[in-house]
């Protein structure tokens, strides 16, 4: 490694109500993958955005190659060789891929664009059709377009903010390889994540941020427990929690019989799936993303039409009911993408709660919210700011709290912990267990260990059909993984 | 090929207000210059601008506020009701029928009842468009726009045929409605304090509905997406229906007001509405869909409409058309500058290339 590329000295940033960064000092060396690790709301994105010129720091000094700089805008950042990719691709939906790529890109840089596109396509194993409008792309493709777009300016520092959250596993591991290769010839990556394993796998060095402060910096080879302790402090935790030994099964909550559901392009995504769920149960449905989980979940809550088959909830045939009716009957839904379907980014916490719970007595809602924040900590400057200023993990928690507060009888949650740091994920799993005490839970998760740790029964989805559900004792990781790819 | 991309600005509230005020001031200055250039007389300029302190502006404040409040609701839900003008005309037609062909006006609550009938008319008219949207998927902007012409035609047909007045010497208009149906104006002015009070009351009411009720939140949520509303346990169809019908009802109500307070007879459709239903669209957007801002903006826009009259009276020889152009320019430039306060435009060169 050859000297420091970026240096931050005592950088602070305050938002109304929170000190997002508190005298942060850190260095990013040339040719290193530097992971920035921290729980949800630790200030990681804020730091990334300061380097990318989105926010100006209140205090502190930023040096690039030893020279003190000011970065008043992303444009300046790019001139300095700093580019950023974030969790949500920032693209113009109505323009085509190519148009998005050249938007704001200088002529001189366009020549290299094809090479970059080629290179990224090859590394990630995804073809890009440059003439397609961006709205028609999958999330992974969009993310790839933003990656190419950031690479197009030939950055010496690439900031990647939680970019892997929604990526399927195979793309994710190819992305890791890409990142490692990227830094080989004198460039660096600041890899922002809340996943410890990911940080340890990919990074040469790891800086841990907690409540806006740098608590530690580690070199490659550090053990996971020390990192955990640094990240969460006393709330340090390990494992997926335990089940109560016996589950008392109650009444039948949901029966699904021979359900067939079509995908966006009319193909059969769910094929003749049957299962049922009783009070007291958590049914975990796992599998590799794209095997029909999303379509099944949407059909269960009514967002997607059922082609054939039947869904019965509390003894009533709801196959043709709209989502609103199912929700008022006692179903709750936490979608994959909460920002699109579960919360309004323009409204504050209380307004979002009011929308779901039906009362606009904001003082009462505040009390309800407080009582849940106790179980699942949410970091907001104030519950009265619009949700768009909150970090993704906190949105996810609010979406979950809303459903909990609705006292629903059946909670269907899609990857509810994906955006969450370990401690928060642990809390959420506990809360889901509590829901199962008075009702039932169906959780879709791509994380096999989570499925095993959480589910009282586990089912595996593969190409639209379902294996199981199996009781926890009947199945283990190896068997699940076998079913996932068979 | 060139493409235009529109990006939202993130400006602080104080900066936005400052920019808005600056742009309005600039527009007024420019329009003063235009008026001067056309008429060559400072008197006309002066006369034109007295409309801002003329109480007659309150007549427009009443009508525009009522319509624009409804549009705020629909637009918050991203439902594009462009048919307020037609809904107003239908409201007026029904109010005319009520006044001329039923004896109910002379009852104690006659006028109120007449206004309710007008509101129901506007509501029914808007129902056609929203029903087409919800159940068949027809674009509501297009449907409402076309229904305007149907409404004008209906009014024209009535005043030229079956409802043509006996005392109007062949003009295409009805007889005056009975005095019992007149909403009395302040002596010497053309506005009624009752209507102004009602408009302000409605403003508060709509504000509360929009900000403090679950329905109001659902309307806003519908603007984000149907799924959000549905997953909150509220029928998105019902919210869309209700929001749209409210906007139709308020436009219809405005038609009743125009009839009872100002026109007092039905005339040709486009003449009756005088484009107020379209002007109200501008009002709603200038108010940034905030109900509490609607009366203020209505006053401002109303003053511009009154200015048109002022220019014609003061500047002999300035025709109706010139006055309209001036006010039109003013309105458009206010709207455009308001747009640029909130958005940035980027022009990008693109070419379609395949790999
Ligand atoms: N634009 C903003 N306005 C107000 N508060 C903000 C804004 N952006 C972030 N915050 C707050 O700053 C803190 C850190 O947020 P963030 O950097 O997004 O965390 P992370 O990326 O580590 O999850 C959070 O409490 C968040 O609510
Ligand atoms: Mg973040």
């Amino acid at each position: 490694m050859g000297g420091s590329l970026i240096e931050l000295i005592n950088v602070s940033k305050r938002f109304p109500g929170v000190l997002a960064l508190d005298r942060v000092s850190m260095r990013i060396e040339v040719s290193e993958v530097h992971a920035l690790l921290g729980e949800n709301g630790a200030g990681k994105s804020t730091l990334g955005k300061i380097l990318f010129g989105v926010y100006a720091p209140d205090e502190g000094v930023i040096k690039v190659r030893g020279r003190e700089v000011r970065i008043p805008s992303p444009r300046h950042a790019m001139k300095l060789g700093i580019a950023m990719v974030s969790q949500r691709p920032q693209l113009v939906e109505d323009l085509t891929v190519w148009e998005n790529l050249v938007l704001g890109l200088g002529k001189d840089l366009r020549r290299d664009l094809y090479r970059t596109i080629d290179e990224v396509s090859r590394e990630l194993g995804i073809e890009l059709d440059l003439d397609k409008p961006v709205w028609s792309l999958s999330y992974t493709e969009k993310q790839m377009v933003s990656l190419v777009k950031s690479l197009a300016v030939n950055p010496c520092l690439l900031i990647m903010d939680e970019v892997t959250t929604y990526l399927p596993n195979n793309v994710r591991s190819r992305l890791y390889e890409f990142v490692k290769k990227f830094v080989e010839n004198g460039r660096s990556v600041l890899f922002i994540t809340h996943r410890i394993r990911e940080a340890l796998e990919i990074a040469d060095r790891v800086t841990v941020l907690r409540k806006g402060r740098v608590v530690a910096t580690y070199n490659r080879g550090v053990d996971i427990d020390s990192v955990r302790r640094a990240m969460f402090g006393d709330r340090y935790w390990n494992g997926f929690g335990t089940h109560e030994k016996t589950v008392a099964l109650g009444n039948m909550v949901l029966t699904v019989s021979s359900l067939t559901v079509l995908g966006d392009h009319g193909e059969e995504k769910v094929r003749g799936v049957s299962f049922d769920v009783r009070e007291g149960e958590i049914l975990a449905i796992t599998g590799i993303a794209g095997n029909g989980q999303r379509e099944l979940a949407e059909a269960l809550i009514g967002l997607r039409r059922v082609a054939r088959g039947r869904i019965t909830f509390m003894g009533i045939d709801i196959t043709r009911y709209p989502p609103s009716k199912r929700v008022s009957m006692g179903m709750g839904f936490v979608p994959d993408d909460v920002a699109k379907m579960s919360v309004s980014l323009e409204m504050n916490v209380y307004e979002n709660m009011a929308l779901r719970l039906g009362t606009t007595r904001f003082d009462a809602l505040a009390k309800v919210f407080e009582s849940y924040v106790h179980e699942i900590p949410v970091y907001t400057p104030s519950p009265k700011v619009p949700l768009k200023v909150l970090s993704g993990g906190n949105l996810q928690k609010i979406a979950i709290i809303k459903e909990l507060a609705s006292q629903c009888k059946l909670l269907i949650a899609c990857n509810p912990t994906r955006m969450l740091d370990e401690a928060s994920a642990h809390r959420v799993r506990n809360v889901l267990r509590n829901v199962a005490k008075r009702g039932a839970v169906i959780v879709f998760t791509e994380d096999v260990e989570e499925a095993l740790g959480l589910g009282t029964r586990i089912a595996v989805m593969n190409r639209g059909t379902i294996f199981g559900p199996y009781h926890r004792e009947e199945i283990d990781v190896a068997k699940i993984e076998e079913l996932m790819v068979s | 090929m060139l493409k235009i991309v529109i990006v939202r600005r993130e400006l602080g509230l104080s900066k936005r207000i400052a920019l808005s005020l600056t742009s309005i001031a600039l527009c007024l200055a420019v329009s003063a210059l235009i008026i001067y250039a056309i008429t060559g007389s400072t008197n006309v300029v002066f006369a034109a601008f007295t409309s801002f302190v003329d109480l007659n502006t309150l007549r427009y404040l009443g009508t525009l506020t009522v319509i624009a409040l409804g549009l705020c609701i629909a637009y918050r839900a991203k439902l594009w009701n462009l048919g307020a003008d037609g809904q107003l005309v239908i409201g007026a037609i029904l109010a005319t029928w009520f006044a001329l062909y039923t004896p109910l006006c002379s009852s104690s609550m006659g006028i109120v009842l007449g206004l309710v009938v007008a509101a129901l008319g506007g509501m029914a008219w808007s129902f056609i468009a929203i029903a087409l949207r919800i159940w068949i998927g027809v674009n509501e902007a297009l449907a409402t726009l076309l229904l305007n012409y149907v409404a004008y035609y209906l009014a024209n047909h009535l005043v030229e045929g079956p409802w043509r007045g006996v005392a109007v010497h062949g003009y295409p208009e009805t007889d005056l409605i009975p005095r019992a149906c007149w909403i009395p104006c302040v002596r010497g002015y053309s506005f009624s304090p009752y209507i102004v009070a009602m408009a302000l009351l409605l403003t508060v009411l709509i504000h509360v509905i929009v900000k403090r009720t679950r329905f109001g939140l659902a309307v806003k949520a519908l603007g984000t997406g149907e799924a959000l509303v549905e997953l909150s346990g509220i029928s998105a169809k019902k919210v869309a229906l209700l929001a749209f019908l409210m906007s139709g009802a308020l436009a219809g109500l405005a038609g009743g007001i125009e009839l009872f307070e100002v026109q007092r007879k039905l005339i040709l459709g486009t003449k009756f509405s005088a484009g107020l239903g379209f002007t109200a669209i501008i009002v709603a957007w200038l108010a940034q869909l905030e109900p509490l801002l609607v009366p203020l903006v209505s006053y401002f826009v109303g003053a511009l409409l009154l200015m048109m009259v002022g220019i014609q009276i003061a500047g002999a020889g300035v025709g109706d058309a010139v006055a309209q152009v001036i006010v039109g320019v003013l309105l458009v430039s206010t709207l455009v500058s308001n747009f640029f306060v909130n958005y940035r435009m980027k022009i990008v060169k693109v070419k379609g290339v395949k790999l």
Side-chain angles (χ1 to χ4, degrees), chain A residues 15-16 18 20 39-47 55 161-162 379-381 389-391 394:
Chain A
F15 290 115
V18 309
E39 58 182 334
N40 304 124
K44 307 181 294 292
S45 298
T46 305
L47 195 149
Y55 299 139
D161 188 356
E162 313 257 19
Y379 301 111
T380 63
V389 309
L390 301 189
S391 65
N394 283 317

Side-chain angles (χ1 to χ4, degrees), chain A residues 425-473:
Chain A
H426 177 60
R427 304 264 189 140
V428 164
R429 287 187 204 107
N430 278 339
V431 161
L432 292 181
R433 288 188 186 102
N434 285 335
V435 174
K437 284 183 187 146
R438 57 173 167 77
V441 177
I442 299 177
V443 54
F444 289 86
T445 173
E446 283 153 36
D447 183 338
V448 176
E449 288 181 34
E450 180 172 74
L452 271 171
L454 193 55
T456 57
R457 286 193 299 156
I458 294 111
V460 181
M461 271 195 98
N462 185 354
R463 271 177 273 147
T465 54
I466 207 162
F467 296 101
Y470 302 97
H471 285 282
R472 198 172 338 112
E473 300 76 33

Side-chain angles (χ1 to χ4, degrees), chain A residues 26 35 55 92 116 136 163 194 218 224 228 271 289 301 336 375 402 420 462 465:
Chain A
M26 68 180 281
Y55 299 139
V92 185
T116 314
S136 70
V163 286
H194 63 260
Y218 301 104
I224 195 161
R228 249 191 212 125
R271 306 171 188 212
I301 195 66
D336 240 322
E375 285 179 72
K402 247 170 25 123
L420 304 182
N462 185 354
T465 54

Side-chain angles (χ1 to χ4, degrees), chain A residues 383-398:
Chain A
K384 291 199 176 132
V385 299
L387 295 197
K388 63 181 167 203
V389 309
L390 301 189
S391 65
N394 283 317
L395 288 186
Q396 179 97 44
K397 292 181 210 167
I398 290 167

Side-chain angles (χ1 to χ4, degrees), chain A residues 341-378:
Chain A
M341 294 204 252
S342 187
V343 292
S344 166
L345 298 182
E346 304 298 322
M347 298 186 201
N348 66 33
V349 170
Y350 298 151
E351 287 166 336
N352 270 290
M353 301 262 296
L355 184 64
R356 176 70 174 89
L357 301 180
T359 167
T360 42
R361 292 191 29 238
F362 291 120
D363 47 341
L365 289 169
K367 284 215 186 78
V368 175
F369 184 64
E370 287 310 318
S371 69
Y372 284 100
V373 168
H374 202 65
E375 285 179 72
I376 308 175
V378 178

